[in-house]
Amino acid sequence: GVHLGEKRTVDVTVPAETMPGSRVPVKLGGAESSVLVGEFAEVQTGTPQAASLPTPGTANGVIAKRGATETWTFTAKKGHPLIVEVQAARLGSPLDSLIDILDQKGKPLPRAVLRSQARTYTTFRDHDSRNPGIRIETWSELAVNDLLLVGNELVKIRALPRNPDDDCRFFEEAGRRLGFLGTTPTHQSQGTPMYKVSVHPPGSTFPPNGMPVVTLFWRNDDGPALDKDSRLHFDPPADGTYQVRVRDARGEGGPAFAYRLTVRPPRPDFRVSLAPGNPTVFPGGAVPVQVNLSRIDAFDGPVEIEWKNVPRGLRLSATNIGPDDNSTSVALFAEADFALPAKFAGITAVARGTIAGKKVEQVSNALVPKLGKTPDLVATTEQPEVTIQPGGETRITLQIERKNGFAGRVPLDVRGLPHGVRVLDVGLNGILIIPGE
């Protein structure tokens, strides 16, 4: 840095109980900064240990000039997956990282071969890199959970369009479209081909069918929910030595383009949160509460949700979040005579899952409801529960009670449905109860 004075080093004491990932303040020459607390052995560019990364371990580097790359070697064993992750943008670095895993000779390592089986096109408008909905031309050959290759991103269908004016919905995380097998969602122009694909091992060959066969390599630009930082869940194809190449996705560089590269075993886990944190409940009515699940290091199991510290007069049903979902909704009911307790710490959701054969329990943030006045609407269903078989359908009758002179139209939605269950006959404007009904 600059303006630091004559002193260029400082001793930093890190308490033993400091958690990895925490920042420890540093003062030098009147300037204040911080260092990041690491968990593993560390190596740094420009030292005798440079380029050789222990497993697990962290490498500290910098893309010092435009077009530059840095490469680190590490060892791995087949059957022992690893997380390969960059921290840069999250720490304030201008680096937009891109990582490639190479073989011992420095050649790109194939991950999978995609065989195209059907084709459609994006239509109606251009689509940005975030939105989980993309308008498609036809979907007669598509199904839920199919993988589609559009440009260089691989996406997975969560729900097919309900009508020609509806988007195809793809899997998302935190409101952003998910790319699979290390691919990164990007802007897609109107008319871009989209190919339904099947995934095969590297080196697979097929009879020509007039559509492309694409090889994907172990590469990542933006990891899920990491903004511009990169992450790969690497499954080594064989025991041996591999390389990780780090560069800027735009070809930029400079003294400030620093990064931390970590190679470690995965630690599957999950976190649960509730939204909104302060819902307004109405006596004799109900409001939806969303339960959000953050999956860590490829945790893909189901999670059971129970409720704790629910005061008398409120009701929440136990629920679950399936392996294909990251959220669900639950109705928070208030009895007609409900009153908030004088001292109330809040309701919490207790989420229970199984990881490597062990039961894991996580607790959410507190839900502290507020009490509102008489609502304009109270909605009830005639059926307290329904049973539906795969490929089947069922019907629900809903009634509303209008209050406070409310006479407007009422759009209806069904929340908390598990993956693969949805309401289809919504028309162009959704399901409505019109004024007077």
Side-chain angles (χ1 to χ4, degrees):
V2 296
H3 308 303
L4 298 178
E6 296 182 359
K7 188 177 181 180
R8 294 301 173 111
T9 62
V10 62
D11 292 331
V12 180
T13 300
V14 181
E17 66 273 11
T18 305
M19 294 293 294
S22 304
R23 292 177 182 266
V24 176
V26 176
K27 293 185 178 181
L28 182 61
E32 293 188 3
S33 185
S34 62
V35 292
L36 195 72
V37 178
E39 183 177 2
F40 308 110
E42 306 225 357
V43 293
Q44 185 171 328
T45 300
T47 64
Q49 297 81 20
S52 180
L53 177 59
T55 308
T58 297
N60 297 275
V62 58
I63 305 302
K65 59 182 180 180
R66 298 188 63 172
T69 66
E70 288 195 338
T71 303
W72 304 84
T73 63
F74 67 97
T75 59
K77 294 183 177 181
K78 184 176 182 179
H80 296 268
L82 296 168
I83 299 295
V84 182
E85 179 177 344
V86 169
Q87 284 182 291
R90 287 172 290 170
L91 302 179
S93 170
L95 178 71
D96 182 358
S97 64
L98 175 65
I99 57 174
D100 300 89
I101 296 182
L102 316 173
D103 64 17
Q104 192 169 7
K105 297 180 180 179
K107 295 183 179 180
L109 193 65
R111 180 173 188 169
V113 173
L114 307 181
R115 187 192 189 196
S116 302
Q117 299 174 318
R119 177 171 51 210
T120 186
Y121 297 88
T122 64
T123 187
F124 184 61
R125 65 182 186 275
D126 290 355
H127 297 82
D128 63 26
S129 62
R130 302 178 64 93
N131 200 315
I134 294 179
R135 192 72 57 88
I136 63 177
E137 188 173 82
T138 60
W139 55 93
S140 58
E141 297 182 88
L142 306 180
V144 170
N145 293 330
D146 278 350
L147 291 169
L148 293 184
L149 182 67
V150 49
N152 293 319
E153 66 172 291
L154 186 66
V155 292
K156 186 177 180 181
I157 296 177
R158 179 174 179 81
L160 291 170
R162 293 171 289 191
N163 55 60
D165 291 310
D166 191 23
D167 288 348
C168 185
R169 306 290 297 186
F170 295 94
F171 278 82
E172 63 183 277
E173 183 173 338
R176 299 187 63 168
R177 190 166 73 246
L178 271 178
F180 287 76
L181 297 186
T183 62
T184 299
T186 58
H187 177 92
Q188 302 297 344
S189 301
Q190 180 181 352
T192 301
M194 304 181 76
Y195 296 96
K196 173 184 172 179
V197 297
S198 53
V199 181
H200 303 270
S204 300
T205 58
F206 314 96
N209 64 356
M211 288 184 282
V213 174
V214 178
T215 297
L216 291 184
F217 295 89
W218 287 98
R219 174 178 300 157
N220 182 252
D221 180 2
D222 301 335
L226 298 185
D227 195 17
K228 294 182 179 181
D229 287 344
S230 308
R231 176 190 286 165
L232 280 172
H233 192 279
F234 178 51
D235 192 5
D239 295 358
T241 300
Y242 298 89
Q243 303 180 36
V244 186
R245 181 173 61 200
V246 183
R247 49 184 164 147
D248 186 90
R250 307 153 299 181
E252 298 291 332
F257 284 64
Y259 67 88
R260 288 169 60 81
L261 171 71
T262 297
V263 177
R264 61 171 176 84
R267 289 177 290 209
D269 203 350
F270 58 89
R271 300 288 184 270
V272 64
S273 62
L274 305 176
N278 302 103
T280 300
V281 297
F282 305 96
V287 294
V289 173
Q290 182 157 312
V291 186
N292 297 311
L293 184 70
S294 297
R295 298 180 180 272
I296 300 172
D297 285 2
F299 169 72
D300 60 358
V303 170
E304 300 292 328
I305 305 293
E306 292 186 359
W307 303 95
K308 297 294 183 182
N309 199 31
V310 181
R312 179 184 172 277
L314 288 182
R315 287 184 288 125
L316 285 154
S317 297
T319 186
N320 63 77
I321 299 177
D324 292 311
D325 284 319
N326 294 321
S327 66
T328 191
S329 290
V330 177
L332 173 61
F333 293 93
E335 303 291 349
D337 59 349
F338 170 69
L340 282 170
K343 294 183 179 181
F344 180 47
I347 302 167
T348 55
V350 179
R352 296 184 178 92
T354 302
I355 300 174
K358 296 182 179 180
K359 298 290 185 180
V360 177
E361 183 175 291
Q362 301 288 0
V363 179
S364 74
N365 56 304
L367 184 76
V368 184
K370 299 179 292 184
L371 187 61
K373 298 179 181 180
T374 305
D376 291 339
L377 291 170
V378 174
T380 56
T381 58
E382 289 186 1
Q383 301 86 351
E385 63 179 42
V386 294
T387 300
I388 184 170
Q389 299 295 331
E393 66 175 38
T394 190
R395 294 184 177 273
I396 301 171
T397 302
L398 181 135
Q399 296 177 338
I400 61 169
E401 181 183 356
R402 299 177 182 271
K403 297 187 176 184
N404 303 327
F406 178 74
R409 69 176 191 169
V410 181
L412 304 180
D413 191 15
V414 182
R415 301 187 183 182
L417 293 173
H419 177 56
V421 181
R422 63 194 310 223
V423 181
L424 287 177
D425 52 343
V426 298
L428 297 180
N429 297 311
I431 301 175
L432 296 172
I433 296 179
I434 63 175
E437 290 192 344

